[in-house]
Amino acid sequence: MVSVVVNTKPKLKTRFSLVYTEGERVDQALPTDIMASLDACLLSLTLICTIIAGTTEFVQLKCNGNNNGRFGQPSLLECILILSEEATDVQINRIIWKKNGAETALIEYKRDSILKSEPRFTLAQRYSIPFDVSMLVTNTLMADRGNYTCIVETNRGFCKSSAPRLRLSVPYSTPNINRSRNPNQNVAMTLSCTATGGYPEGKILWFDEYGTDWSPSSQQEAIETTDGRLNLVSKLDLLSGSSFSTYTCAVHNIRGEREGETQYNVSDLDPQSVRHEGKTQKSDLASKIVIPVVIIGSVIIGLLIVRLLKPHCQSSHQALPTNNECGYEDELQTKTKPEGEYSSCVTPQPSNVCSV
């Protein structure tokens, strides 16, 4: 039983109290304003259900949530309108593409005409795929990465998807290795490996000539450039007493794939700095002392050899003329001189002394 209790008081609005009593029923008419409110709510609920049912039954928007793009190249954000078997006369009335967080649309299409299109953004228009509403980004920039929203309005329903996401990957350059002195006395030198212009952040690995991984001993830094790409710099300290002659620097992308590598031969460029306990300053001092001593010693030894091999003449009166090393004269000239007024010169003996 439903009882309606009406409490009336002067200058007060009517208040209805519904009392339910089991086994009895009383029908009372509700006020007109309450009935109007209930009718409006029922109508709104019916419209919402109709829209949802129509959208779910006839058209659906399927978008790729992970679209991989390349820096400086075209990138595709894929969305396709999926129709049910009953939907045979679907027409696209409107397409809107916008980046999440942005106030304005990148593309706005309406009934065979494009109302708005930002530079580098356009509809893909892949005619081989029915109801393709994908967006094409030409000359992709780092600022283009992120989430997008696609809205499609048809004569059979309204579809919206915030699933499209553009990911960018940029390969790194071939790494380059440089060396530098380290003020730490226990460090012979520091190797720096640089790989530029990549994204997202990768990793630089170090290996010696036997394939041993020295990466845990290195320090890596990622520096963002003005266009959003990254430069990777990794430093490896070579301790005093290191005996490895070759080191390899390899850059890997975020998926662990090797994109490039460079080798550095320590022994060819500076054999003293690593192989002799890293005492670079002592090695330089020793070289400054040893090299002049060797040169001077070589000159002295050379002069001694020349001196020993050069014959010397002895005479009781005076040295013989220098135009003939030992005063040699022709046999004819010797015979024409008066006897007893000249010194005869004989072939030098091993003692290198001329006999008179």
Side-chain angles (χ1 to χ4, degrees):
M1 174 182 176
V2 179
S3 300
V4 179
V5 181
V6 180
N7 297 325
T8 58
K9 292 183 179 180
K11 297 182 182 181
L12 292 178
K13 293 183 179 181
T14 302
R15 183 176 61 185
F16 294 89
S17 299
L18 300 180
V19 181
Y20 293 87
T21 304
E22 186 177 358
E24 298 181 358
R25 180 179 179 181
V26 176
D27 295 330
Q28 294 289 340
L30 295 177
T32 304
D33 55 347
I34 295 179
M35 289 297 298
S37 299
L38 292 176
D39 290 341
C41 293
L42 182 60
L43 178 60
S44 300
L45 183 61
T46 302
L47 291 175
I48 293 174
C49 294
T50 302
I51 294 174
I52 295 176
T55 303
T56 304
E57 180 180 357
F58 294 107
V59 292
Q60 290 183 348
L61 186 61
K62 183 178 180 180
C63 296
N64 185 5
N66 292 313
N67 302 276
N68 295 318
R70 285 279 186 175
F71 178 81
Q73 299 181 11
S75 300
L76 181 69
L77 284 86
E78 188 175 25
C79 279
I80 299 176
L81 201 63
I82 306 299
L83 309 182
S84 65
E85 296 180 357
E86 294 82 4
T88 58
D89 57 347
V90 176
Q91 294 181 354
I92 297 178
N93 297 329
R94 197 172 187 180
I95 301 174
I96 297 176
W97 273 94
K98 63 182 300 183
K99 190 174 183 181
N100 293 2
E103 297 181 358
T104 59
L106 297 172
I107 295 177
E108 187 173 355
Y109 166 91
K110 184 177 181 181
R111 279 293 182 95
D112 300 329
S113 63
I114 297 179
L115 300 179
K116 180 181 180 181
S117 178
E118 293 291 336
R120 303 185 302 106
F121 296 90
T122 183
L123 291 177
Q125 296 181 347
R126 298 180 296 174
Y127 298 106
S128 59
I129 302 177
F131 295 97
D132 178 35
V133 293
S134 303
M135 182 175 66
L136 182 66
V137 184
T138 62
N139 189 22
T140 308
L141 303 179
M142 297 302 300
D144 298 332
R145 65 186 188 275
N147 295 327
Y148 292 78
T149 297
C150 178
I151 302 172
V152 180
E153 179 185 336
T154 71
N155 61 335
R156 288 287 188 168
F158 172 87
C159 302
K160 178 180 179 180
S161 176
S162 298
R165 182 182 181 184
L166 179 60
R167 301 173 181 266
L168 289 184
S169 59
V170 187
Y172 286 91
S173 65
T174 301
N176 182 38
I177 300 179
N178 294 313
R179 66 165 186 168
S180 60
R181 296 288 178 86
N182 195 302
N184 189 344
Q185 295 181 354
N186 296 325
V187 178
M189 70 171 64
T190 299
L191 298 182
S192 298
C193 179
T194 304
T196 60
Y199 189 87
E201 183 175 350
K203 192 171 184 180
I204 292 178
L205 303 180
W206 291 92
F207 301 94
D208 60 25
E209 56 203 85
Y210 301 104
T212 305
D213 187 2
W214 290 95
S215 305
S217 301
S218 64
Q219 303 86 35
Q220 178 174 309
E221 181 183 7
I223 304 173
E224 185 174 357
T225 61
T226 55
D227 60 8
R229 292 181 292 175
L230 299 175
N231 295 338
L232 301 181
V233 180
S234 179
K235 296 184 178 181
L236 178 66
D237 293 333
L238 304 186
L239 300 180
S240 301
S242 300
S243 59
F244 304 110
S245 61
T246 302
Y247 288 87
T248 299
C249 159
V251 58
H252 293 243
N253 58 30
I254 195 173
R255 296 183 296 275
E257 301 169 345
R258 181 174 294 193
E259 294 186 345
E261 65 178 39
T262 299
Q263 288 187 346
Y264 186 92
N265 197 322
V266 179
S267 59
D268 287 348
L269 295 176
D270 193 356
Q272 300 294 330
S273 60
V274 176
R275 292 185 177 274
H276 294 281
E277 299 182 357
K279 299 179 180 179
T280 307
Q281 295 180 353
K282 293 184 178 180
S283 299
D284 293 342
L285 181 60
S287 62
K288 292 179 181 179
I289 296 175
V290 171
I291 292 176
V293 169
V294 171
I295 295 175
I296 295 173
S298 301
V299 173
I300 293 174
I301 293 174
L303 292 176
L304 290 176
I305 293 174
V306 172
R307 180 92 178 166
L308 292 174
L309 293 178
K310 183 176 181 180
H312 300 277
C313 297
Q314 296 180 351
S315 175
S316 59
H317 301 286
Q318 60 182 5
L320 296 179
T322 57
N323 58 351
N324 192 319
E325 289 183 354
C326 199
Y328 294 158
E329 292 182 350
D330 296 338
E331 183 178 358
L332 180 60
Q333 293 176 349
T334 303
K335 289 181 180 181
T336 59
K337 292 183 179 181
E339 185 177 355
E341 295 181 2
Y342 63 92
S343 298
S344 61
C345 185
V346 297
T347 303
Q349 301 300 319
S351 61
N352 295 326
V353 179
C354 294
S355 59
V356 179

